[in-house]
Amino acid sequence: MGSAESRPNPPPLSRTRSEQVQVPQALLEADLTSIPRSSTISRSSGLSSRRGSDKNKRRDVVKVSSSLVEGVRRKGVKYQTSKEIVQTVLEKLIEEYPEWNEELGEVCRALNQESDLLSNSVDSLKLEQLFEHLIALTEDEQQRGWSCADDTAEITSMLTDLTCLLKNANPNVVVAVLQRLKYEPLLTLVQYYQLESRPALKKQVLEVLYESMLIKPDPTCSILLTSRLPVQLATDIQGTKVLNQLEMQCNVFCAVLSYPNVMPRSHYDQLDDRFITHLLTELEATDTPHDPEGQLPNNFLKCVLSLNLHYKDLNHNKVCSVLKSRTTLQPHGDAASSLQQNR
């Protein structure tokens, strides 16, 4: 064992290429050109100069951490995973070289601090481009008044990219973009959903809306609740006979109506006895070709319960009125056990 004095000094932060620690290529390719040289941390800096530049240094450290995460994110890695990769690399470097703890520790802690979300993220630009494409597409649909078979692949690709972006991007970036656009893309999606007649594309639109609600329930659910979406979904639920489409329709309907906001008065008229009766009838259905495993009754039960949340006065509760008019209610599958638990 050598003495403490004989221990070799740690390598300096600025190393030759041959001496560099092996870090993921994505991190090496992170765009740090916009970071001023003054952001590098010098051991020789005097105490007075450190105090004078603390605020700027903190801002620069946040830029460094954000740039590292963005460098990994550009490789197609999810935002949260990208942040975990950068954090793991930084922590490993600190473990191997404790002398770097102060400098790299600041970068590591800055991973949870975000600034200038709209200009510093590649996701914000792509999200705005997709929303612009969606607006142009909706306006085109309105002008034509009919669907063009040739644009199916283009629209499918656009909606797929939008769904993937909502799932993988920094949620705070998504919220920042929606807030800047005053959540108008949500209403554009609803409008396009009403115009579109192709089931596969309608399902994709619902997937985008569902992901949006998961990211920011409030005010997303409130905006969708006051739109025409619940009424359109009620119509589609009554006419759809495809299992995966019905499941998505029911999921979005329940998510929108389960949020504790007041529906527009016109919705109470259009989500009428006929719709409620249809849901209850499907709850009791035993021979449904498009649902051989009996998965749908539970979805229909959720629709009934979510709609019931919007009736405060028992004397004017349409759900209770329809139930009262039926002599029995015998749900099947998972709905039966769910109903039993809620009694």
Side-chain angles (χ1 to χ4, degrees), residues 296-318:
L296 286 175
N298 199 40
N299 288 294
F300 291 130
L301 176 60
K302 291 177 182 178
C303 290
V304 173
L305 295 176
S306 62
L307 179 57
N308 186 62
L309 292 173
H310 292 269
Y311 290 100
K312 306 302 181 184
D313 185 355
L314 185 61
N315 295 324
H316 298 89
N317 188 321
K318 289 186 179 181

PDB file of all heavy atoms in Angstrom, residues 296-318:
ATOM      1  N   LEU A 296     -66.231  -5.865 -23.305  1.00  0.00           N
ATOM      2  CA  LEU A 296     -66.901  -4.570 -23.442  1.00  0.00           C
ATOM      3  C   LEU A 296     -67.871  -4.201 -22.321  1.00  0.00           C
ATOM      4  O   LEU A 296     -68.003  -3.012 -22.011  1.00  0.00           O
ATOM      5  CB  LEU A 296     -67.624  -4.494 -24.786  1.00  0.00           C
ATOM      6  CG  LEU A 296     -66.709  -4.318 -25.999  1.00  0.00           C
ATOM      7  CD1 LEU A 296     -67.507  -4.386 -27.292  1.00  0.00           C
ATOM      8  CD2 LEU A 296     -65.956  -2.986 -25.924  1.00  0.00           C
ATOM      9  N   PRO A 297     -68.586  -5.152 -21.712  1.00  0.00           N
ATOM     10  CA  PRO A 297     -69.529  -4.741 -20.662  1.00  0.00           C
ATOM     11  C   PRO A 297     -68.916  -3.866 -19.578  1.00  0.00           C
ATOM     12  O   PRO A 297     -69.545  -2.925 -19.093  1.00  0.00           O
ATOM     13  CB  PRO A 297     -70.013  -6.086 -20.098  1.00  0.00           C
ATOM     14  CG  PRO A 297     -69.942  -7.013 -21.264  1.00  0.00           C
ATOM     15  CD  PRO A 297     -68.716  -6.597 -22.013  1.00  0.00           C
ATOM     16  N   ASN A 298     -67.669  -4.156 -19.206  1.00  0.00           N
ATOM     17  CA  ASN A 298     -67.013  -3.339 -18.185  1.00  0.00           C
ATOM     18  C   ASN A 298     -66.794  -1.912 -18.679  1.00  0.00           C
ATOM     19  O   ASN A 298     -66.917  -0.938 -17.912  1.00  0.00           O
ATOM     20  CB  ASN A 298     -65.675  -3.969 -17.792  1.00  0.00           C
ATOM     21  CG  ASN A 298     -65.169  -3.458 -16.449  1.00  0.00           C
ATOM     22  OD1 ASN A 298     -65.939  -3.278 -15.508  1.00  0.00           O
ATOM     23  ND2 ASN A 298     -63.878  -3.206 -16.366  1.00  0.00           N
ATOM     24  N   ASN A 299     -66.470  -1.764 -19.965  1.00  0.00           N
ATOM     25  CA  ASN A 299     -66.304  -0.428 -20.541  1.00  0.00           C
ATOM     26  C   ASN A 299     -67.622   0.335 -20.575  1.00  0.00           C
ATOM     27  O   ASN A 299     -67.656   1.542 -20.302  1.00  0.00           O
ATOM     28  CB  ASN A 299     -65.734  -0.546 -21.967  1.00  0.00           C
ATOM     29  CG  ASN A 299     -64.278  -0.958 -21.980  1.00  0.00           C
ATOM     30  OD1 ASN A 299     -63.410  -0.224 -21.541  1.00  0.00           O
ATOM     31  ND2 ASN A 299     -64.006  -2.142 -22.482  1.00  0.00           N
ATOM     32  N   PHE A 300     -68.688  -0.360 -20.921  1.00  0.00           N
ATOM     33  CA  PHE A 300     -70.011   0.283 -20.947  1.00  0.00           C
ATOM     34  C   PHE A 300     -70.451   0.692 -19.539  1.00  0.00           C
ATOM     35  O   PHE A 300     -71.080   1.743 -19.359  1.00  0.00           O
ATOM     36  CB  PHE A 300     -71.041  -0.647 -21.580  1.00  0.00           C
ATOM     37  CG  PHE A 300     -70.844  -0.864 -23.047  1.00  0.00           C
ATOM     38  CD1 PHE A 300     -70.813  -2.135 -23.585  1.00  0.00           C
ATOM     39  CD2 PHE A 300     -70.671   0.211 -23.909  1.00  0.00           C
ATOM     40  CE1 PHE A 300     -70.621  -2.340 -24.952  1.00  0.00           C
ATOM     41  CE2 PHE A 300     -70.474   0.021 -25.264  1.00  0.00           C
ATOM     42  CZ  PHE A 300     -70.452  -1.254 -25.783  1.00  0.00           C
ATOM     43  N   LEU A 301     -70.118  -0.131 -18.560  1.00  0.00           N
ATOM     44  CA  LEU A 301     -70.458   0.216 -17.178  1.00  0.00           C
ATOM     45  C   LEU A 301     -69.737   1.495 -16.754  1.00  0.00           C
ATOM     46  O   LEU A 301     -70.316   2.380 -16.106  1.00  0.00           O
ATOM     47  CB  LEU A 301     -70.097  -0.936 -16.247  1.00  0.00           C
ATOM     48  CG  LEU A 301     -70.301  -0.676 -14.744  1.00  0.00           C
ATOM     49  CD1 LEU A 301     -71.764  -0.354 -14.447  1.00  0.00           C
ATOM     50  CD2 LEU A 301     -69.825  -1.870 -13.923  1.00  0.00           C
ATOM     51  N   LYS A 302     -68.466   1.622 -17.128  1.00  0.00           N
ATOM     52  CA  LYS A 302     -67.711   2.838 -16.809  1.00  0.00           C
ATOM     53  C   LYS A 302     -68.338   4.067 -17.463  1.00  0.00           C
ATOM     54  O   LYS A 302     -68.356   5.156 -16.867  1.00  0.00           O
ATOM     55  CB  LYS A 302     -66.262   2.676 -17.265  1.00  0.00           C
ATOM     56  CG  LYS A 302     -65.466   1.651 -16.463  1.00  0.00           C
ATOM     57  CD  LYS A 302     -64.060   1.502 -17.026  1.00  0.00           C
ATOM     58  CE  LYS A 302     -63.267   0.455 -16.261  1.00  0.00           C
ATOM     59  NZ  LYS A 302     -61.912   0.264 -16.836  1.00  0.00           N
ATOM     60  N   CYS A 303     -68.832   3.892 -18.675  1.00  0.00           N
ATOM     61  CA  CYS A 303     -69.505   5.011 -19.355  1.00  0.00           C
ATOM     62  C   CYS A 303     -70.741   5.453 -18.588  1.00  0.00           C
ATOM     63  O   CYS A 303     -71.004   6.653 -18.427  1.00  0.00           O
ATOM     64  CB  CYS A 303     -69.880   4.609 -20.784  1.00  0.00           C
ATOM     65  SG  CYS A 303     -68.486   4.414 -21.908  1.00  0.00           S
ATOM     66  N   VAL A 304     -71.521   4.468 -18.115  1.00  0.00           N
ATOM     67  CA  VAL A 304     -72.733   4.778 -17.352  1.00  0.00           C
ATOM     68  C   VAL A 304     -72.374   5.524 -16.068  1.00  0.00           C
ATOM     69  O   VAL A 304     -72.985   6.546 -15.722  1.00  0.00           O
ATOM     70  CB  VAL A 304     -73.515   3.488 -17.027  1.00  0.00           C
ATOM     71  CG1 VAL A 304     -74.682   3.795 -16.083  1.00  0.00           C
ATOM     72  CG2 VAL A 304     -74.045   2.839 -18.304  1.00  0.00           C
ATOM     73  N   LEU A 305     -71.370   5.019 -15.371  1.00  0.00           N
ATOM     74  CA  LEU A 305     -70.988   5.624 -14.097  1.00  0.00           C
ATOM     75  C   LEU A 305     -70.407   7.026 -14.286  1.00  0.00           C
ATOM     76  O   LEU A 305     -70.666   7.933 -13.479  1.00  0.00           O
ATOM     77  CB  LEU A 305     -69.973   4.725 -13.380  1.00  0.00           C
ATOM     78  CG  LEU A 305     -70.499   3.342 -12.948  1.00  0.00           C
ATOM     79  CD1 LEU A 305     -69.378   2.514 -12.330  1.00  0.00           C
ATOM     80  CD2 LEU A 305     -71.658   3.477 -11.971  1.00  0.00           C
ATOM     81  N   SER A 306     -69.602   7.213 -15.322  1.00  0.00           N
ATOM     82  CA  SER A 306     -69.015   8.538 -15.554  1.00  0.00           C
ATOM     83  C   SER A 306     -70.091   9.555 -15.935  1.00  0.00           C
ATOM     84  O   SER A 306     -70.026  10.720 -15.530  1.00  0.00           O
ATOM     85  CB  SER A 306     -67.935   8.465 -16.641  1.00  0.00           C
ATOM     86  OG  SER A 306     -68.479   8.041 -17.877  1.00  0.00           O
ATOM     87  N   LEU A 307     -71.076   9.126 -16.716  1.00  0.00           N
ATOM     88  CA  LEU A 307     -72.181  10.028 -17.051  1.00  0.00           C
ATOM     89  C   LEU A 307     -73.011  10.349 -15.821  1.00  0.00           C
ATOM     90  O   LEU A 307     -73.464  11.488 -15.630  1.00  0.00           O
ATOM     91  CB  LEU A 307     -73.053   9.380 -18.132  1.00  0.00           C
ATOM     92  CG  LEU A 307     -74.272  10.177 -18.605  1.00  0.00           C
ATOM     93  CD1 LEU A 307     -73.868  11.544 -19.139  1.00  0.00           C
ATOM     94  CD2 LEU A 307     -75.037   9.393 -19.676  1.00  0.00           C
ATOM     95  N   ASN A 308     -73.185   9.383 -14.956  1.00  0.00           N
ATOM     96  CA  ASN A 308     -73.984   9.576 -13.748  1.00  0.00           C
ATOM     97  C   ASN A 308     -73.372  10.625 -12.823  1.00  0.00           C
ATOM     98  O   ASN A 308     -74.088  11.274 -12.035  1.00  0.00           O
ATOM     99  CB  ASN A 308     -74.122   8.240 -13.007  1.00  0.00           C
ATOM    100  CG  ASN A 308     -75.051   8.324 -11.815  1.00  0.00           C
ATOM    101  OD1 ASN A 308     -76.234   8.617 -11.956  1.00  0.00           O
ATOM    102  ND2 ASN A 308     -74.507   8.087 -10.625  1.00  0.00           N
ATOM    103  N   LEU A 309     -72.057  10.823 -12.912  1.00  0.00           N
ATOM    104  CA  LEU A 309     -71.392  11.822 -12.067  1.00  0.00           C
ATOM    105  C   LEU A 309     -71.913  13.234 -12.315  1.00  0.00           C
ATOM    106  O   LEU A 309     -71.779  14.104 -11.454  1.00  0.00           O
ATOM    107  CB  LEU A 309     -69.880  11.794 -12.321  1.00  0.00           C
ATOM    108  CG  LEU A 309     -69.110  10.549 -11.867  1.00  0.00           C
ATOM    109  CD1 LEU A 309     -67.674  10.635 -12.349  1.00  0.00           C
ATOM    110  CD2 LEU A 309     -69.158  10.415 -10.348  1.00  0.00           C
ATOM    111  N   HIS A 310     -72.503  13.467 -13.472  1.00  0.00           N
ATOM    112  CA  HIS A 310     -72.917  14.821 -13.843  1.00  0.00           C
ATOM    113  C   HIS A 310     -74.369  15.123 -13.477  1.00  0.00           C
ATOM    114  O   HIS A 310     -74.884  16.183 -13.845  1.00  0.00           O
ATOM    115  CB  HIS A 310     -72.689  15.035 -15.339  1.00  0.00           C
ATOM    116  CG  HIS A 310     -71.229  15.057 -15.705  1.00  0.00           C
ATOM    117  ND1 HIS A 310     -70.487  16.211 -15.735  1.00  0.00           N
ATOM    118  CD2 HIS A 310     -70.374  14.056 -16.006  1.00  0.00           C
ATOM    119  CE1 HIS A 310     -69.243  15.928 -16.061  1.00  0.00           C
ATOM    120  NE2 HIS A 310     -69.148  14.631 -16.235  1.00  0.00           N
ATOM    121  N   TYR A 311     -74.996  14.207 -12.762  1.00  0.00           N
ATOM    122  CA  TYR A 311     -76.363  14.449 -12.289  1.00  0.00           C
ATOM    123  C   TYR A 311     -76.344  14.600 -10.771  1.00  0.00           C
ATOM    124  O   TYR A 311     -76.037  13.653 -10.047  1.00  0.00           O
ATOM    125  CB  TYR A 311     -77.287  13.297 -12.697  1.00  0.00           C
ATOM    126  CG  TYR A 311     -77.571  13.241 -14.177  1.00  0.00           C
ATOM    127  CD1 TYR A 311     -76.879  12.345 -14.998  1.00  0.00           C
ATOM    128  CD2 TYR A 311     -78.510  14.080 -14.748  1.00  0.00           C
ATOM    129  CE1 TYR A 311     -77.133  12.301 -16.359  1.00  0.00           C
ATOM    130  CE2 TYR A 311     -78.772  14.038 -16.120  1.00  0.00           C
ATOM    131  CZ  TYR A 311     -78.078  13.140 -16.911  1.00  0.00           C
ATOM    132  OH  TYR A 311     -78.329  13.104 -18.263  1.00  0.00           O
ATOM    133  N   LYS A 312     -76.632  15.784 -10.300  1.00  0.00           N
ATOM    134  CA  LYS A 312     -76.621  16.057  -8.866  1.00  0.00           C
ATOM    135  C   LYS A 312     -78.008  15.900  -8.246  1.00  0.00           C
ATOM    136  O   LYS A 312     -78.138  15.585  -7.066  1.00  0.00           O
ATOM    137  CB  LYS A 312     -76.110  17.485  -8.606  1.00  0.00           C
ATOM    138  CG  LYS A 312     -74.753  17.781  -9.238  1.00  0.00           C
ATOM    139  CD  LYS A 312     -73.682  16.816  -8.759  1.00  0.00           C
ATOM    140  CE  LYS A 312     -72.335  17.142  -9.393  1.00  0.00           C
ATOM    141  NZ  LYS A 312     -71.288  16.151  -9.003  1.00  0.00           N
ATOM    142  N   ASP A 313     -79.023  16.130  -9.056  1.00  0.00           N
ATOM    143  CA  ASP A 313     -80.404  16.054  -8.575  1.00  0.00           C
ATOM    144  C   ASP A 313     -81.002  14.712  -8.974  1.00  0.00           C
ATOM    145  O   ASP A 313     -81.139  14.399 -10.157  1.00  0.00           O
ATOM    146  CB  ASP A 313     -81.231  17.195  -9.170  1.00  0.00           C
ATOM    147  CG  ASP A 313     -82.650  17.249  -8.605  1.00  0.00           C
ATOM    148  OD1 ASP A 313     -83.010  16.336  -7.832  1.00  0.00           O
ATOM    149  OD2 ASP A 313     -83.374  18.194  -8.943  1.00  0.00           O
ATOM    150  N   LEU A 314     -81.338  13.907  -7.992  1.00  0.00           N
ATOM    151  CA  LEU A 314     -81.865  12.572  -8.259  1.00  0.00           C
ATOM    152  C   LEU A 314     -83.156  12.625  -9.063  1.00  0.00           C
ATOM    153  O   LEU A 314     -83.429  11.740  -9.888  1.00  0.00           O
ATOM    154  CB  LEU A 314     -82.104  11.843  -6.929  1.00  0.00           C
ATOM    155  CG  LEU A 314     -82.543  10.375  -7.022  1.00  0.00           C
ATOM    156  CD1 LEU A 314     -81.478   9.543  -7.740  1.00  0.00           C
ATOM    157  CD2 LEU A 314     -82.821   9.810  -5.634  1.00  0.00           C
ATOM    158  N   ASN A 315     -83.963  13.656  -8.873  1.00  0.00           N
ATOM    159  CA  ASN A 315     -85.247  13.757  -9.578  1.00  0.00           C
ATOM    160  C   ASN A 315     -85.066  14.021 -11.074  1.00  0.00           C
ATOM    161  O   ASN A 315     -85.989  13.789 -11.857  1.00  0.00           O
ATOM    162  CB  ASN A 315     -86.095  14.874  -8.968  1.00  0.00           C
ATOM    163  CG  ASN A 315     -86.498  14.569  -7.535  1.00  0.00           C
ATOM    164  OD1 ASN A 315     -86.754  13.412  -7.190  1.00  0.00           O
ATOM    165  ND2 ASN A 315     -86.541  15.598  -6.694  1.00  0.00           N
ATOM    166  N   HIS A 316     -83.889  14.501 -11.462  1.00  0.00           N
ATOM    167  CA  HIS A 316     -83.630  14.783 -12.878  1.00  0.00           C
ATOM    168  C   HIS A 316     -82.463  13.951 -13.415  1.00  0.00           C
ATOM    169  O   HIS A 316     -81.832  14.311 -14.393  1.00  0.00           O
ATOM    170  CB  HIS A 316     -83.333  16.278 -13.075  1.00  0.00           C
ATOM    171  CG  HIS A 316     -84.473  17.173 -12.700  1.00  0.00           C
ATOM    172  ND1 HIS A 316     -84.661  17.663 -11.429  1.00  0.00           N
ATOM    173  CD2 HIS A 316     -85.503  17.656 -13.447  1.00  0.00           C
ATOM    174  CE1 HIS A 316     -85.740  18.416 -11.392  1.00  0.00           C
ATOM    175  NE2 HIS A 316     -86.282  18.437 -12.613  1.00  0.00           N
ATOM    176  N   ASN A 317     -82.214  12.840 -12.755  1.00  0.00           N
ATOM    177  CA  ASN A 317     -81.118  11.959 -13.144  1.00  0.00           C
ATOM    178  C   ASN A 317     -81.595  10.976 -14.208  1.00  0.00           C
ATOM    179  O   ASN A 317     -82.370  10.065 -13.920  1.00  0.00           O
ATOM    180  CB  ASN A 317     -80.601  11.208 -11.909  1.00  0.00           C
ATOM    181  CG  ASN A 317     -79.335  10.428 -12.213  1.00  0.00           C
ATOM    182  OD1 ASN A 317     -79.189   9.837 -13.270  1.00  0.00           O
ATOM    183  ND2 ASN A 317     -78.423  10.411 -11.254  1.00  0.00           N
ATOM    184  N   LYS A 318     -81.136  11.169 -15.435  1.00  0.00           N
ATOM    185  CA  LYS A 318     -81.588  10.309 -16.538  1.00  0.00           C
ATOM    186  C   LYS A 318     -81.112   8.872 -16.381  1.00  0.00           C
ATOM    187  O   LYS A 318     -81.805   7.932 -16.773  1.00  0.00           O
ATOM    188  CB  LYS A 318     -81.100  10.866 -17.876  1.00  0.00           C
ATOM    189  CG  LYS A 318     -81.800  12.137 -18.309  1.00  0.00           C
ATOM    190  CD  LYS A 318     -81.362  12.549 -19.708  1.00  0.00           C
ATOM    191  CE  LYS A 318     -82.087  13.806 -20.153  1.00  0.00           C
ATOM    192  NZ  LYS A 318     -81.703  14.220 -21.519  1.00  0.00           N
TER     193      LYS A 318
END
